Amino acid sequence: MPRINLGSWAESAVDWLQSHLSWLFDAVNTVLTGMYDGVNAVLGAPDALLMAGILAVVAWWLRGLLAGALAFAGLALVDSFGLWDEAMATLSLVLVASVITLVLAVPLGIWAARNRRVSRVLRPVLDVMQTMPAFVYLIPGVMFFSIGPIPGLIATIVFSMPPGVRMTELGIRQVDGELVEAARAFGTTPRDTLVRLQLPLALPTIMAGVNQVIMLALSMVVIAGMAGAGGLGESVYAAVTQVNIGGGVESGLAVVVLAMYLDRMTGALGRRVSPLGRRAAAKDAASVRASASAAFLRYRPGSAVATVGIVVLALVAGGMHLTRGGDDRQAVAAGKNVGHGKKVRLGYFPWDEAVATTYLWQNVLEDRGFEPDVKQLDPGPLYTALAQGQMDLQFDSWLPTTHKQYMDRYGDKLTDLGAWYGPTSLELAVPSYVEGVDSLADLKGKGGQFGGKIVGIESSAGMMGTLNDKVLGAYGLEGEYKVVSSSTSTMLAELDRAIKKKEPVVTTLWSPHWAYAKHDLKKLKDPQGAWGKGEEIHSVGKKDFAADFPKVAEWVKNFKMSEKDLASLEAEIQSGGKGKEKDSARRWLDAHPGFADKLAPVGA
């Protein structure tokens, strides 16, 4: 059967939409950004514990005193992890996405319930929306809206809409047909039948759909962290890519706290707004009156009391926000304040030299009066963001091979600011205790020894394409070995695990890399030159970077780093621990006086 080029058709469709409907995407981006920023400003402005108190009062009103106390404790725990701002950003994204989803899903569900033909048309569409892998939605989102919260918002709306439509349709269809016929017999209009009979009776099912929409939105928001949506999703993604167990546990628990809070509150709200739910709640309240302690814990204030409490806390929070003093930014010497608070967006993917140089430059630019905003992304989204002007600069372009595909695609929309390190080398490596394997040719016939796999890095890296397309074929390794895509951190974790157990393992690696200092490894020789010549590491900016940041462009063009300096910087960041990269880079700078002035000289 001939191959159906659906993928190329999809790419052509995306290119056409970008060319002809960019004005529409810009308008949608503006509206959604305004909504997200507004909600985030409201949730993020108060002091963390005051905002936790407001949310706890809501829980007290909906579920009782015990629920309010537990909600406050959980939210205070999130604040103790130092993840409050990220949690509020995630909550903002969930709320905006859920509101938009429900505004679209409920009318569609009502329409489907009242029209069989509409229901039949919607069913396969909803099936695709619900079963398509969630990561796929991020691709067009990034292409149309670049990185940031909006691609995540769009993907979240698409992914979480099906249960809202299905549960609304199901709830209305489950209303007793005899009741509907009776209403019609008494002359009730179809509109009044829907509003005064079907919707109230279907409300418990609809609210269950609302709950599912919010839960799916939260799960998708975390995935959207891969596209730079920020919030807890970015924290989870960073922890996973860096094998940061502590950070993963803390950010994961923060997501759990938000999920439990939203789940319990939407469930309680469903009982409050539904006539059947209020009747059930009244029965529950009557059953616990005999127990004074149970009645105390389940006591819920009236709506007026709860509103007063929320307003008082909000006023206190607003007053504290207005009177919060001073500028917390680090003081910059007048002669070195080149940036005057100008924001510079630095992107990096989780490769060690990228992490090291990005946080090094973050400290240097802050010393020069700029405000660097650092964000971790995969290579694909990062190059796309640079091409679209949504990011300003990154320091880890391996050229001419590893990142060739991105430069070929976006080269006319990027600025190559020159190489700061080179030459590098790409290779496969094995532990030194693996005998008889010193070159790539020695791997042939020994696939069983290595489990038939080569542990790789991100599938989007050009190194992986070279390995699959050239290296395996050059040495007759195709079919015997499978290249397992993972991430740089996962590859290093697998290497470390195998060495501790003295097991044979072959991994992708490159030079320079601190792993050669930590472990006793052998670089497998490449007598046929399948890997190609050594590469150089370039700094790459957006197209008009030099015009927007002339002084920084001058500094970066003259940026050079020796293998000794880079290795010591990477070692300092490794020893400093995950999540403390900026502080580690600062310690390295302090230990190398004059280095910052060499990187970013200013006039006397």
Side-chain angles (χ1 to χ4, degrees):
M1 180 176 177
R3 188 184 190 283
I4 300 176
N5 295 313
L6 183 59
S8 61
W9 298 343
E11 290 184 4
S12 299
V14 169
D15 291 339
W16 186 90
L17 290 171
Q18 285 181 304
S19 301
H20 295 83
L21 295 179
S22 59
W23 59 271
L24 177 61
F25 298 129
D26 291 341
V28 172
N29 189 40
T30 300
V31 172
L32 294 182
T33 300
M35 294 175 64
Y36 169 77
D37 289 343
V39 175
N40 193 34
V42 171
L43 294 179
D47 181 79
L49 293 182
L50 277 173
M51 190 67 216
I54 292 173
L55 295 175
V57 170
V58 174
W60 183 21
W61 171 60
L62 288 173
R63 290 185 61 89
L65 184 60
L66 179 61
L70 291 175
F72 184 82
L75 294 168
L77 181 65
V78 173
D79 183 42
S80 73
F81 292 156
L83 294 171
W84 183 260
D85 291 339
E86 290 82 356
M88 291 302 101
T90 295
L91 183 58
S92 301
L93 210 56
V94 170
L95 292 178
V96 173
S98 298
V99 168
I100 295 173
T101 300
L102 293 172
V103 167
L104 298 173
V106 172
L108 281 174
I110 294 172
W111 191 18
R114 297 166 70 88
N115 190 314
R116 293 282 183 181
R117 183 175 300 174
V118 172
S119 179
R120 286 194 296 269
V121 171
L122 280 179
R123 190 175 297 119
V125 175
L126 296 175
D127 289 341
V128 172
M129 294 168 65
Q130 195 164 20
T131 56
M132 181 74 74
F135 295 95
V136 175
Y137 296 125
L138 295 179
I139 301 173
V142 170
M143 296 302 297
F144 293 141
F145 303 102
S146 189
I147 61 168
I150 304 309
L153 193 61
I154 297 294
T156 301
I157 291 170
V158 175
F159 184 68
S160 60
M161 186 178 296
V165 177
R166 293 184 193 277
M167 296 298 279
T168 300
E169 180 183 0
L170 177 64
I172 293 175
R173 288 192 184 280
Q174 285 181 334
V175 174
D176 192 340
E178 294 183 359
L179 291 176
V180 176
E181 289 299 326
R184 290 173 179 169
F186 280 99
T188 307
T189 64
R191 179 180 179 278
D192 286 339
T193 300
L194 173 66
V195 174
R196 302 178 65 178
L197 175 64
Q198 290 175 304
L199 284 179
L201 293 177
L203 204 52
T205 305
I206 294 174
M207 288 305 298
V210 171
N211 178 273
Q212 290 302 302
V213 165
I214 293 175
M215 292 297 100
L216 285 176
L218 182 59
S219 68
M220 187 60 192
V221 162
V222 172
I223 295 174
M226 296 179 62
L232 293 174
E234 185 173 334
S235 300
V236 172
Y237 172 58
V240 170
T241 56
Q242 299 173 21
V243 196
N244 182 359
I245 297 175
V249 170
E250 291 178 353
S251 52
L253 282 176
V255 173
V256 169
V257 169
L258 279 186
M260 293 180 65
Y261 181 86
L262 292 171
D263 177 64
R264 303 304 189 271
M265 295 310 105
T266 52
L269 184 63
R271 290 192 294 273
R272 279 286 182 117
V273 300
S274 167
L276 298 177
R278 288 196 296 269
R279 188 179 306 168
K283 289 182 179 180
D284 290 343
S287 66
V288 299
R289 283 173 185 163
S291 171
S293 59
F296 173 73
L297 292 176
R298 298 187 62 164
Y299 167 72
R300 295 180 300 182
S303 299
V305 174
T307 302
V308 170
I310 291 173
V311 169
V312 169
L313 288 174
L315 290 174
V316 172
M320 291 180 64
H321 182 67
L322 290 174
T323 59
R324 191 173 294 155
D327 190 350
D328 295 331
R329 287 181 300 176
Q330 179 179 336
V332 180
K336 296 184 177 182
N337 189 8
V338 178
H340 301 288
K342 191 172 184 179
K343 187 175 180 180
V344 185
R345 298 163 297 183
L346 306 179
Y348 72 96
F349 31 89
W351 294 8
D352 294 287
E353 69 282 349
V355 173
T357 51
T358 300
Y359 284 100
L360 172 70
W361 274 99
Q362 182 185 22
N363 281 287
V364 170
L365 291 174
E366 282 185 352
D367 291 345
R368 296 298 183 262
F370 291 92
E371 289 189 12
D373 179 23
V374 175
K375 188 178 292 292
Q376 176 184 320
L377 295 164
D378 268 353
L382 178 52
Y383 276 95
T384 302
L386 286 169
Q388 295 179 349
Q390 300 300 313
M391 295 294 287
D392 295 316
L393 180 64
Q394 69 103 348
F395 296 97
D396 203 34
S397 285
W398 286 53
L399 298 172
T401 303
T402 303
H403 293 138
K404 180 179 183 297
Q405 58 177 314
Y406 300 114
M407 298 304 290
D408 288 346
R409 182 170 186 175
Y410 299 120
D412 60 338
K413 299 178 181 178
L414 302 173
T415 300
D416 187 346
L417 297 167
W420 59 267
Y421 182 92
T424 65
S425 64
L426 304 178
E427 58 254 357
L428 295 184
V430 299
S432 60
Y433 56 75
V434 178
E435 298 179 355
V437 180
D438 299 300
S439 75
L440 292 172
D442 295 332
L443 290 173
K444 188 171 178 60
K446 298 179 180 178
Q449 183 179 352
F450 296 98
K453 67 179 181 180
I454 297 172
V455 182
I457 54 173
E458 293 82 1
S459 59
S460 58
M463 178 185 190
M464 295 289 283
T466 303
L467 175 59
N468 283 296
D469 298 339
K470 296 182 180 180
V471 177
L472 295 185
Y475 291 94
L477 304 178
E478 293 175 324
E480 184 179 358
Y481 289 87
K482 177 183 178 182
V483 180
V484 180
S485 301
S486 58
S487 66
T488 302
S489 54
T490 303
M491 177 271 292
L492 292 170
E494 177 64 16
L495 177 63
D496 188 65
R497 185 200 65 80
I499 289 176
K500 287 178 179 178
K501 292 186 175 184
K502 294 290 183 180
E503 295 176 350
V505 63
V506 56
T507 68
T508 54
L509 211 54
W510 53 91
S511 300
H513 199 285
W514 56 265
Y516 287 112
K518 180 178 179 181
H519 304 297
D520 188 7
L521 301 173
K522 291 189 291 185
K523 299 179 183 180
L524 298 187
K525 298 175 183 178
D526 178 19
Q528 297 188 32
W531 281 114
K533 296 181 179 180
E535 298 187 89
E536 293 184 325
I537 306 179
H538 290 237
S539 303
V540 172
K542 63 180 183 178
K543 184 175 183 178
D544 52 356
F545 181 80
D548 291 347
F549 304 94
K551 197 65 178 177
V552 179
E554 177 186 336
W555 294 336
V556 174
K557 287 178 180 177
N558 295 322
F559 171 42
K560 302 292 180 184
M561 206 165 190
S562 68
E563 183 172 358
K564 179 181 178 181
D565 285 337
L566 179 58
S568 64
L569 175 59
E570 289 182 353
E572 182 66 44
I573 289 177
Q574 286 293 317
S575 64
K578 305 297 184 182
K580 300 179 181 179
E581 292 84 359
K582 182 185 176 184
D583 294 337
S584 299
R586 170 58 63 186
R587 284 196 304 273
W588 189 89
L589 275 174
D590 292 341
H592 293 74
F595 196 88
D597 291 330
K598 179 182 176 182
L599 286 185
V602 293

